[in-house]
Amino acid sequence: MKRIGIDVGGTNTDAVLLEGERILRSIKTATTADVTSGIKAALNHILEGRDGKGAGVAAIMIGTTHFTNAVIERRGLSRVAVIRIGLPAAHSIVPMQAWPEDLRVAVEGPVFLIRGGHEFDGRKIVEFDREHMRKIAQEIRDSGVGAAAITAVFSPLTAACEEEAAAILADVAPDVTVTLSSELGRIGLIERENATILNSALHALARQTVAAFEAAIADSGLTAPLYLTQNDGTVMQAAHAARYPVLCFASGPTNSMRGARMLSGLDEAIVLDVGGTTTDAGMLVGGFPREANSRVDIGGVATFFRMPDVIAVALGGGTIIDPETRKIGPTSVGYRISEKALVRGGDTLTLTDIAVRIGRMAFGNADLVADVSDELAAHVEAWIRSRLADLVDRMKTSAADIPVIAVGGGAALVPDSLPGVARIIKVEHAGVANAIGAAMAQVSGECDQVFYGVSREEAINEAREIADARAATAGANPESIELLDVEDVPLSYIPGNPLRVRVKVVGDLALSGSRV
């Protein structure tokens, strides 16, 4: 089965054509301002000269920074009507109170607090106020806001209030798109509400982006289905991504980690993804990125959202060096490396120039950096070693030596040894590991809920069933779904022995029963 993987980064758009785990063709091309023309160029290259062009291509996977950048840059966002169900219990902190002011101004629509919601054990706080909800729906319809976010207290356990509110809104204002917080499914009211609001704010952009991707694919003569990569190293159907764009946040580093796993064959390792501006460090656990356990900020907004545990430092191929002061970074020439680096006839000394100078990289004309002193080259090399050693140390959870896989366009910057590292692995095709990770991705499903009044075994089994169903809905072949991770935490000092269970499963795409 052939697959195409594409990763759209801020500097480059990378694409690969895979057959199983065999790389048939790859390309690294500059990301374009409109993004889609860069995708077309990449597709045309990897399909060039192939009989029937896209014949035999079963799926196309795209990883994009579009949605993350939209939040960070405060662009392309829609105003959102916010409905919180939980009065009289959940009113001390109003929605979006801790958001950055500029983002709040861009996103905030009418905000409503309404009676209803449930306790952690499923008991109603109070009866859901249906009459008030119908008045709210009429107000939202008349406001002209096109998106709504509905959050209820403990809705990952009992979503009845959210579903009833959504049904009333759909009846009164059918053109308003809705996100239910229970569909994103993590415990923690404020953080879950934040993720829900961001998701609704991105709905219009997500529809436009997915449509543009589909148009670029169609223009290239391909008819294979489109999938977008998620931030857990798996993919979802394009229609699913249009409904839940927040699941694409931070998918770039996870693509690189999954690609590193395929290229190296290692399930347990630290991955250093060296780009043009930064180096992202992540940890492979069981072949998938380790998830962050702490609060994650997206554009200044707090979420308890599933995100890879990634640390980024300003170290990349385009990082600028001042030869007079010997100051290194944090600024970078980024996508202009081919015109600004000394080895390409430019006027800026970069880490790429030093890598060429010390014989670690073949790029441009090495004669153009022959005048760089040995002392300066040694100083920069020591700085790189120190920064990467510190980065690796921050990712480790024990003192034991661990292998490190170097990927990305600047992988050659990574030295052949680092303290605390068992070995440095530099793989073929490291520069397009992100696109490889996209192409080989599976489909995931997750459940994170509190269970009350059932045994541990029953709670885990029920969570597994929910996770399996979500994976199948997202496009997984039900027969291929396997358990990836399970954890359960008793909630102490609460009557009834409640148990919080998180289950994650993965499976192959439903379009093929073969494993990749």
Side-chain angles (χ1 to χ4, degrees), residues 283-328:
M283 185 84 178
L284 284 173
V285 178
F288 284 84
R290 182 176 70 197
E291 289 188 12
N293 288 322
S294 58
R295 190 186 81 171
V296 176
D297 283 0
I298 306 296
V301 177
T303 69
F304 279 143
F305 202 58
R306 71 173 194 209
M307 293 287 279
D309 186 7
V310 174
I311 302 174
V313 296
L315 188 163
T319 299
I320 297 171
I321 304 163
D322 187 332
E324 300 298 325
T325 64
R326 304 205 304 179
K327 181 177 183 294
I328 305 169

Side-chain angles (χ1 to χ4, degrees), residues 156 180-187 192 446-449 470:
L180 305 185
S181 77
S182 55
E183 296 171 336
L184 298 175
R186 285 276 172 113
I187 304 298
R192 175 162 42 87
E446 184 181 32
C447 174
D448 183 358
Q449 287 192 194
R470 288 176 177 171

Side-chain angles (χ1 to χ4, degrees), residues 2-185:
K2 296 185 181 71
R3 296 184 179 193
I4 292 174
I6 302 172
D7 188 271
V8 184
T11 303
N12 293 304
T13 294
D14 301 335
V16 297
L17 178 63
L18 290 187
E19 186 168 22
E21 294 192 355
R22 187 163 63 98
I23 300 167
L24 302 179
R25 198 157 191 173
S26 65
I27 180 66
K28 181 182 286 288
T29 186
T31 295
T32 55
D34 65 350
V35 178
T36 54
S37 59
I39 292 175
K40 287 182 189 177
L43 284 171
N44 289 337
H45 176 86
I46 61 173
L47 294 174
E48 186 180 0
R50 301 190 65 84
D51 294 337
K53 279 260 183 177
V57 174
I60 300 157
M61 288 79 164
I62 295 180
T64 179
T65 59
H66 246 49
F67 308 130
T68 310
N69 292 345
V71 175
I72 293 172
E73 298 170 13
R74 284 42 168 164
R75 59 169 175 78
L77 302 172
S78 301
R79 290 178 61 234
V80 178
V82 180
I83 303 166
R84 183 192 292 173
I85 305 169
L87 289 181
H91 66 277
S92 58
I93 301 176
V94 298
M96 305 179 72
Q97 182 171 310
W99 284 40
E101 183 62 25
D102 58 344
L103 182 58
R104 181 173 179 172
V105 168
V107 171
E108 187 177 32
V111 176
F112 306 95
L113 304 183
I114 184 172
R115 293 170 65 86
H118 294 79
E119 299 286 1
F120 72 93
D121 59 1
R123 290 180 292 117
K124 291 181 180 179
I125 296 174
V126 294
E127 193 68 31
F128 176 59
D129 194 337
R130 296 169 184 81
E131 290 186 15
H132 188 194
M133 182 61 221
R134 186 161 290 275
K135 292 178 181 178
I136 287 172
Q138 292 167 350
E139 191 170 335
I140 292 172
R141 178 196 60 197
D142 297 340
S143 72
V145 172
I150 301 176
T151 305
V153 176
F154 280 111
S155 63
L157 178 62
T158 305
C161 286
E162 288 188 357
E163 292 168 354
E164 191 165 359
I168 294 171
L169 184 58
D171 180 53
V172 175
D175 294 333
V176 175
T177 64
V178 179
T179 304
L180 305 185
S181 77
S182 55
E183 296 171 336
L184 298 175

